[in-house]
Amino acid sequence: MTHRCTRRITYALGLLLVAATALGPPDALLGPATVLLAQGGPITVLSRDGRRTLPAVDVQNHQMVGLDDLATLFQLQVREDAAARAVTASYKNQTIVLTPDQSLVSASGRLVSLPAPLTRRSNRWLVPVEFISRALAPIYDVKLDFRPQSRLLVVGDLRVPRVTAQYDESPSSIRVTFQITPRTTATVTQEQNRLLLHVEADALDASIPPAPSQQGLLTGIRATDPTTIQMDLGQRFNSFRTSPATSSGAASVLTVELLAVPVESTVAPTPPGGVTTPGAPGAPTAPGVATGPVPPTDLPAFGSSRPTIRTIVIDPGHGGDDAGVKGPRGAVEKDVVLAIARRLKGVIEGRLGMRVLLTHQDGKLIGADARASIANNNKADLFISLHANGSPRPTTRGVTIFTLGLDRFGEDARRQSRADRAVLPVFGGGTREISLVEWELAQAAHLDGSNAFAGIIEQRLRATAGLPTVTLQRAPMRNLAGVNMPAVLVELGYLSNPDEEQQMRSADFQNSVALALTEAVSAFRDHLELSPQVAPAP
Ligand SMILES: [Zn+2]
């Protein structure tokens, strides 16, 4: 599964704040005779000791907190000096002097102005919340970071990034874009019927809007434990993928795309933009169709400057610390696909006499770009990435063959506003114009070949390996985008399906898949060599 290709991290501090203790309800603050209005709710105080609640009330449009509550939270000594008409709050050797009904406060001899005065209500002293950052923080020996917007007070050097989310919907998918400020490492994992975004932090300042109303794909989203955002998956959920996190100013941006179960009979929708196909808008085989099932392409003659295949790069998915999908009986994606990759290398070398390179041998994890670089630097003629899939539904099964879909990348490229326009020749004499960032251009020039190869693989997996369910899909896969040659990513089955898990571990299955893929390579080579070459457009 490609989402697992994102780098995995371990996080040590995630459980620091699990013990959440709240102070008692603010009953004492809201005596029956008062005219205080609770507004905005309490302030959450995060520290190494846990999570506490600081009640806040509204007095004449000012958010006020009790000096006694602050004394409890911050070990302040509060004294009332009736003779001097003053209230003092001391911490260690430092003292804040307040005067009733006055907005000026002395913090260790320094005068500080508050937006509202010290106020007496129901035998308690109230100060505006700004007291914390303006008067208390300067004398306190631990950092106090008050965030009015999220009503959060962070005590000490805790990492509490702000996390926001936005949604982009299509008929077959929902994309959730998380923005994490400041930049913070985050990973996505799947646990049964939910996806978990783990942020490498001590707690989250999360502001997550409700999930879109689209039924059956994403049914809920919320912050759960202090460092996790949980996405609840609906019945239509099939798989997901994440983009590598990118930086946008001070923030990390991570997208999670939830894909619906393919509907076999549906014609792929016309892309919303990003790719223009003169003369064939919305045609089923139009390049750049959105994520979703696409009919097998006929084998269009591949008018390329590569008349044959000499070198193949096989990319076993995952590796190193990144195990990929794990099956219910213990099969591990990285091991299964590496075993198949090695068999495939042997069969291709033995039968076709081609040079075959593997991107890695499970020594350590390498990223998508490094895998593409290995293929590009070795001037390979064909790139095959091997994966196994995972689904929360144990009955989900079948092979999926991916080629690069351009539409979403085009969208991203425009958003990043560093798009270059490119006009790519298309077989048959036309051109198509696409907007892409640099690293995406490589694969875009080979999509006809990639789609032709995917169609051949589909035939061979059915005919030679006897696999009944093989789906072709185009998707904006980072794994393929930078590859400068025809490229496919094959999910060889679902490790989450116990039957397919057992099958994928068997030598019989691995050999028959290696044979089918070798036949596909051979057929694709014939196709390249025998196709009439198209003269370049003048
Ligand atoms: Zn994978």
Side-chain angles (χ1 to χ4, degrees):
M1 190 68 186
T2 53
H3 60 263
R4 307 277 184 161
C5 293
T6 52
R7 196 164 56 87
R8 289 195 157 198
I9 52 97
T10 54
Y11 58 100
L13 291 167
L15 297 177
L16 264 177
L17 296 176
V18 164
T21 45
L23 296 176
D27 295 333
L29 211 56
L30 296 170
T34 65
V35 289
L36 306 185
L37 295 172
Q39 192 179 70
I43 292 162
T44 300
V45 182
L46 293 176
S47 73
R48 293 276 167 207
D49 298 328
R51 184 182 294 257
R52 290 164 187 271
T53 302
L54 173 63
V57 291
D58 190 87
V59 180
Q60 292 170 353
N61 291 325
H62 289 292
Q63 287 284 299
M64 308 288 280
V65 294
L67 209 47
D68 51 350
D69 285 338
L70 292 177
T72 305
L73 276 173
F74 298 105
Q75 294 90 48
L76 307 179
Q77 301 282 336
V78 175
R79 287 200 183 83
E80 205 171 324
D81 185 340
R85 260 189 58 79
V87 176
T88 60
S90 303
Y91 178 74
K92 297 188 177 172
N93 294 326
Q94 314 255 38
T95 300
I96 302 170
V97 182
L98 305 104
T99 308
D101 303 319
Q102 295 224 354
S103 299
L104 280 181
V105 167
S106 164
S108 274
R110 203 173 125 255
L111 275 184
V112 174
S113 173
L114 298 177
L118 175 70
T119 303
R120 184 91 167 165
R121 284 286 190 281
S122 303
N123 286 329
R124 300 176 73 228
W125 291 110
L126 303 179
V127 289
V129 290
E130 288 81 0
F131 174 86
I132 297 168
S133 50
R134 295 185 194 176
L136 183 55
I139 69 151
Y140 208 62
D141 55 3
V142 175
K143 187 175 148 196
L144 301 179
D145 174 14
F146 180 57
R147 306 181 189 184
Q149 194 183 356
S150 44
R151 311 190 63 72
L152 203 57
L153 174 57
V154 180
V155 181
D157 279 320
L158 295 187
R159 298 166 306 163
V160 188
R162 179 158 178 79
V163 182
T164 60
Q166 69 176 52
Y167 309 103
D168 294 297
E169 295 178 74
S170 81
S172 60
S173 70
I174 294 177
R175 182 161 58 167
V176 188
T177 303
F178 292 102
Q179 187 155 325
I180 307 171
T181 313
R183 280 178 231 162
T184 308
T185 303
T187 53
V188 178
T189 57
Q190 183 171 346
E191 277 184 12
Q192 290 154 357
N193 56 349
R194 61 201 181 191
L195 296 180
L196 302 175
L197 173 78
H198 303 281
V199 182
E200 192 180 9
D202 300 308
L204 302 183
D205 176 0
S207 175
I208 308 292
S213 56
Q214 180 174 325
Q215 291 301 310
L217 197 46
L218 176 64
T219 57
I221 183 168
R222 62 191 173 279
T224 52
D225 79 47
T227 60
T228 302
I229 308 287
Q230 176 174 324
M231 289 161 271
D232 298 320
L233 304 173
Q235 292 180 334
R236 288 182 64 224
F237 174 80
N238 183 48
S239 62
F240 78 99
R241 52 176 166 254
T242 61
S243 69
T246 57
S247 294
S248 170
S252 302
V253 176
L254 182 94
T255 64
V256 181
E257 190 166 23
L258 286 70
L259 304 173
V261 176
V263 181
E264 299 286 348
S265 57
T266 307
V267 173
T270 305
V275 175
T276 311
T277 310
T285 53
V289 287
T291 298
V294 291
T297 45
D298 301 330
L299 300 181
F302 178 49
S304 85
S305 57
R306 298 174 186 273
T308 189
I309 298 171
R310 296 184 183 86
T311 301
I312 297 180
V313 165
I314 300 171
D315 173 43
H318 313 276
D321 290 336
D322 177 12
V325 175
K326 291 178 181 167
R329 292 177 189 151
V332 175
E333 181 184 3
K334 71 167 185 174
D335 296 333
V336 169
V337 298
L338 181 60
I340 295 171
R342 285 178 170 147
R343 287 176 198 264
L344 178 57
K345 173 177 159 70
V347 179
I348 293 175
E349 287 173 338
R351 295 199 176 201
L352 304 180
M354 296 171 181
R355 175 181 175 228
V356 181
L357 306 171
L358 301 186
T359 53
H360 71 94
Q361 302 261 11
D362 196 21
K364 61 173 183 173
L365 176 63
I366 59 172
D369 290 350
R371 293 169 199 251
S373 296
I374 289 169
N376 295 344
N377 293 342
N378 283 284
K379 303 214 179 327
D381 304 297
L382 200 55
F383 181 87
I384 305 171
S385 187
L386 297 177
H387 285 255
N389 224 329
S391 166
R393 298 191 310 172
T395 53
T396 303
R397 64 189 304 132
V399 176
T400 310
I401 305 166
F402 286 98
T403 52
L404 183 68
L406 282 176
D407 56 326
R408 287 292 175 89
F409 275 146
E411 291 292 326
D412 287 346
R414 274 200 299 280
R415 276 188 202 145
Q416 292 169 27
S417 68
R418 25 183 214 104
D420 294 313
R421 294 202 79 76
V423 177
L424 300 179
V426 177
F427 171 71
T431 60
R432 67 169 177 264
E433 190 180 56
I434 56 174
S435 299
L436 293 168
V437 293
E438 293 159 23
W439 54 265
E440 292 159 344
L441 285 169
Q443 179 58 205
H446 301 283
L447 287 179
D448 290 346
S450 300
N451 291 325
F453 183 45
I456 295 174
I457 293 176
E458 186 213 19
Q459 294 165 2
R460 297 298 165 164
L461 285 176
R462 289 183 197 275
T464 300
L467 301 178
T469 311
V470 183
T471 308
L472 291 171
Q473 203 164 326
R474 297 181 191 179
M477 303 193 114
R478 182 65 187 267
N479 309 53
L480 301 176
V483 179
N484 191 22
M485 67 211 67
V488 297
L489 187 151
V490 186
E491 301 269 12
L492 288 161
Y494 281 83
L495 277 183
S496 48
N497 179 317
D499 294 339
E500 293 203 339
E501 178 188 23
Q502 189 176 8
Q503 186 181 45
M504 270 186 275
R505 285 171 127 170
S506 72
D508 276 355
F509 176 87
Q510 296 187 359
N511 284 333
S512 66
V513 164
L515 187 60
L517 290 175
T518 300
E519 289 179 2
V521 170
S522 175
F524 185 58
R525 179 179 61 179
D526 293 346
H527 165 69
L528 292 182
E529 291 176 352
L530 299 175
S531 294
Q533 293 298 299
V534 176

